[in-house]
Amino acid sequence: MTEKRYCSQACADPMIGTSDVVDVWLLLEYRPTWRAKALAASDLAPPTKRWLEATVAALAQRGLKARPQFVRQPEIDRDDVRLLVAVDGAMWEFAGTGYDFLQGLDVASAVHGGTLGDLPGARRVSEPHYFVCTNGQRDLCCARFGLPVYTGLRQTVAERAWQVTHLGGHRFAPNVLVLPAGLLYGRINPDELADFVAAVETDGVAFAHLRGRSRYPKHVQAAEALAGREGLRLLHVDGDEAAAVVTFAGAGEQISVAVAQGEPQAVLTSCGDTAPSEVVAYRRI
């Protein structure tokens, strides 16, 4: 019998600059089984699916890329359903019995106007929340390596840990999204959780596991990761995704990082792949 080969064990390519670019995270609680294409294949009622689609489309019309995801906490039996919306380093939670409450939330207009906190039932969420990809029907690595990390986080941060559908980058599993900071991490093993959580909980960045800050373009994500400094503010970017000099402000000084795409590498990007695919990683120049 051929031993199963997991993509996250087969690949060791760099992670920096690999987060999908997301301006607005829409995290909707959905407890039933997640299929490979979780949102499209869900049993949500048509009005709820239309609300999600309309919200994503309305945000796109305003130049914002939204990413809807399902989240769940299987250990918790509650009557209400949660929606978490994160944008620009801030997050709000909404709740209702069933999904009908969504129809009263014009999230796109509120994001555009900076008034999410004024929507009915809005609760500001300040503490870090951890969203671990466990969508095993999308890729085996997500469940095999994500579930132990989720269990460990539940023991550490309790209800601030969630399971989430596919975040992208199976080969970096376990993948963990931290909101409201909007930082995506990968390759976090259970025995590294204590140090990882300690860094995040002090408003820091766990650079050893950082894939990227999702609201930045990928070359800017890579530059921030290579700078390796906390509390940086983006000033300007000279160049494009192929090669750029990215300048940040931090602690009374300016820090410039030059990055470029390296040569393509052949990697197994998913457990379901039958052959490697070419990927490009960023490097400092």
Side-chain angles (χ1 to χ4, degrees), residues 7-8 11 13 139 169-172 265-273 275-279:
C7 62
S8 66
C11 299
D13 56 307
D139 190 272
H170 313 301
R171 68 189 188 277
F172 304 123
Q265 304 176 54
V267 302
L268 190 70
T269 59
S270 175
C271 291
D273 289 352
S277 301
E278 283 195 344
V279 299

Side-chain angles (χ1 to χ4, degrees), residues 34-90:
W34 296 342
R35 299 176 177 89
K37 300 290 186 180
L39 274 74
S42 74
D43 293 324
L44 284 174
T48 304
K49 286 188 175 181
R50 287 195 294 269
W51 180 89
L52 275 173
E53 293 166 356
T55 299
V56 171
L59 287 165
Q61 290 177 350
R62 292 167 168 84
L64 298 172
K65 182 178 180 181
R67 183 165 180 132
Q69 305 270 165
F70 284 154
V71 295
R72 65 187 177 197
Q73 295 173 320
E75 309 84 354
I76 300 177
D77 183 15
R78 55 176 167 244
D79 295 329
D80 61 356
V81 171
R82 309 292 173 88
L83 170 72
L84 293 155
V85 182
V87 58
D88 288 336

